[in-house]
Amino acid sequence: MSFSSQVKEELVQHIGSARHCQIAEIAAIVSLCGRLTEFHGRKILVVHTENFSVAKKYFTLMKKTFSIISDTAVRRNAYLKKSRVYTVAVQEQEDVLRVTEALKLEGQTGNMGDRDFLVNGLLVQSSCCKRAFIRGAFLSSGSVTDPRKSYHLEIVFTSEKKAGALQEMIASFDIDAKIVARKKYFVLYIKEGRQIVDILNVMEAHLSLMDLENVRILKEISGAVNRQVNCETANINKTVSAAVGQINDIKLIRNKIGLEKLPEELEQTALARLEYPDATLKELGSALSPPVGKSGVNHRLRKLRMIADSIRENEEDQYGNKDDQNWQAGRP
């Protein structure tokens, strides 16, 4: 089971205790998946969905909230042979009237999913009803990726106004959702792990929330370890690179003028570096007699580098003067 399916299965099991919250969740499902049709003077309220969890939750809510046993049907999707479309319909006129009055849909007909209007504000005045509505919206048209791969939760709408209305509702819980156009749809999405945890809490998917939190903790620990390893590796590389340069400088001085010609403290430092090529500055200072601090060792090594650079410059000048003399004499 995918993480998205896991979340939805948990949300299906959660039924709000208050009737007004149940109505708010029904309103979300109808707003995104519902159709109110009129046939020979009779109105029929139908919910179409390819998600069994949505059909199951809607059927349960209608039974618990209105004591309505809805008609259900399952058929194959004409375009996707392996997919199924679940239909949950309310056909008794008294039942349809009770539901439409409760959802504030009097006088409405057609596909609810195509309307710009999301929900009557009277149905989502309280915080608990907003939670229920967001839960129903996610169940109807939402998904969330496996947090082990990435953090991404989204709810898809056919109308930008609907997406904006739910965005405002989610913002009341201090969650910053974004909206982006994707082909003919508008997608409300959240990509920050902490905020996905928050919205799962809003929808009361507490078990899934704990699973996501565990993944987040492991990722943070792994990231911290990787950063520490990378930092230490960079420091080691830097130390090794510096030591190689210092050894090259010392060998040049030894070959050209001899280390014995250096002042005693520089000679001692140069010999210690040759003997301990992998030592840090602190370790190198401890090997000297008397011991020298890290800054003192660094100062001596800089002096050795300056001497080596001076030798290199003199050699370049000598080669350059020789080339000039050969050119003036016409010799190659």
Side-chain angles (χ1 to χ4, degrees):
M1 180 185 295
S2 68
F3 183 70
S4 189
S5 298
Q6 173 189 325
V7 173
K8 289 191 175 184
E9 187 59 33
E10 182 178 357
L11 295 180
V12 167
Q13 304 302 321
H14 183 87
I15 304 293
S17 57
R19 187 172 187 271
H20 49 81
C21 293
Q22 297 167 10
I23 291 174
E25 191 165 355
I26 291 172
I29 296 173
V30 170
S31 180
L32 294 175
C33 305
R35 176 184 290 274
L36 189 59
T37 62
E38 192 167 350
F39 184 71
H40 294 307
R42 293 172 57 84
K43 288 186 177 180
I44 304 173
L45 179 61
V46 183
V47 164
H48 294 287
T49 177
E50 293 182 2
N51 193 314
F52 176 72
S53 296
V54 178
K56 181 180 178 181
K57 184 66 176 287
Y58 180 71
F59 181 90
T60 303
L61 285 170
M62 294 299 284
K63 181 179 179 181
K64 187 173 183 65
T65 310
F66 297 103
S67 300
I68 295 173
I69 306 298
S70 307
D71 298 326
T72 59
V74 183
R75 63 180 175 81
R76 296 281 185 184
N77 189 310
Y79 301 100
L80 302 173
K81 299 299 182 181
K82 293 183 180 180
S83 297
R84 294 179 178 180
V85 176
Y86 301 91
T87 301
V88 185
V90 178
Q91 301 190 55
E92 291 294 332
Q93 294 305 285
E94 290 184 5
D95 292 339
V96 173
L97 181 61
R98 284 194 296 131
V99 174
T100 53
E101 285 181 349
L103 302 184
K104 311 299 181 187
L105 295 176
E106 301 94 330
Q108 301 285 342
T109 57
N111 191 336
M112 302 293 122
D114 292 339
R115 298 185 311 166
D116 284 338
F117 180 69
L118 183 66
V119 64
N120 190 303
L122 295 175
L123 299 180
V124 288
Q125 286 184 315
S126 63
S127 176
C128 60
C129 291
K130 289 178 181 178
R131 289 175 181 269
F133 190 91
I134 294 169
R135 180 167 59 244
F138 177 80
L139 263 175
S140 301
S141 191
S143 64
V144 57
T145 60
D146 187 337
R148 291 171 296 183
K149 298 177 181 177
S150 64
Y151 298 128
H152 184 87
L153 180 145
E154 67 178 36
I155 303 174
V156 181
F157 298 88
T158 55
S159 161
E160 186 174 10
K161 286 186 178 179
K162 273 189 173 182
L166 190 67
Q167 183 185 40
E168 291 182 8
M169 200 179 299
I170 290 174
S172 67
F173 296 97
D174 295 323
I175 299 173
D176 184 22
K178 308 292 185 182
I179 298 174
V180 64
R182 185 188 296 165
K183 296 183 179 179
K184 62 179 181 179
Y185 299 102
F186 295 89
V187 180
L188 181 146
Y189 68 92
I190 302 170
K191 295 186 72 69
E192 204 274 317
R194 178 71 256 176
Q195 298 248 299
I196 294 177
V197 168
D198 290 342
I199 197 168
L200 289 179
N201 185 51
V202 166
M203 296 188 294
E204 299 178 271
H206 301 303
L207 294 178
S208 299
L209 181 157
M210 293 303 298
D211 288 344
L212 193 150
E213 278 286 50
N214 289 337
V215 172
R216 286 184 69 241
I217 291 170
L218 289 175
K219 276 188 172 182
E220 288 177 3
I221 293 174
S222 177
V225 170
N226 286 336
R227 286 191 294 272
Q228 182 67 25
V229 170
N230 291 338
C231 182
E232 291 178 357
T233 300
N235 288 336
I236 291 171
N237 290 337
K238 183 179 179 181
T239 300
V240 170
S241 178
V244 169
Q246 293 158 7
I247 290 171
N248 289 337
D249 290 341
I250 293 168
K251 287 181 177 179
L252 178 64
I253 297 170
R254 182 186 62 186
N255 295 337
K256 295 297 182 180
I257 64 175
L259 298 180
E260 67 279 1
K261 300 290 182 66
L262 296 173
E264 182 180 353
E265 70 274 8
L266 295 185
E267 179 185 7
Q268 185 186 25
T269 304
L271 292 172
R273 172 50 85 196
L274 291 176
E275 184 176 358
Y276 306 107
D278 299 327
T280 63
L281 295 182
K282 184 177 180 180
E283 293 168 343
L284 204 60
S286 300
L288 299 176
S289 181
V292 178
K294 182 178 176 180
S295 60
V297 173
N298 191 43
H299 178 69
R300 293 182 183 184
L301 290 171
R302 279 204 304 268
K303 283 188 174 181
L304 289 170
R305 186 180 66 228
M306 292 171 62
I307 294 171
D309 288 342
S310 177
I311 293 172
R312 293 187 184 97
E313 289 176 3
N314 290 334
E315 287 182 344
E316 289 176 1
D317 290 341
Q318 290 176 6
Y319 286 125
N321 292 335
K322 184 178 179 180
D323 290 342
D324 289 343
Q325 293 170 5
N326 290 338
W327 178 78
Q328 291 172 3
R331 294 194 299 269

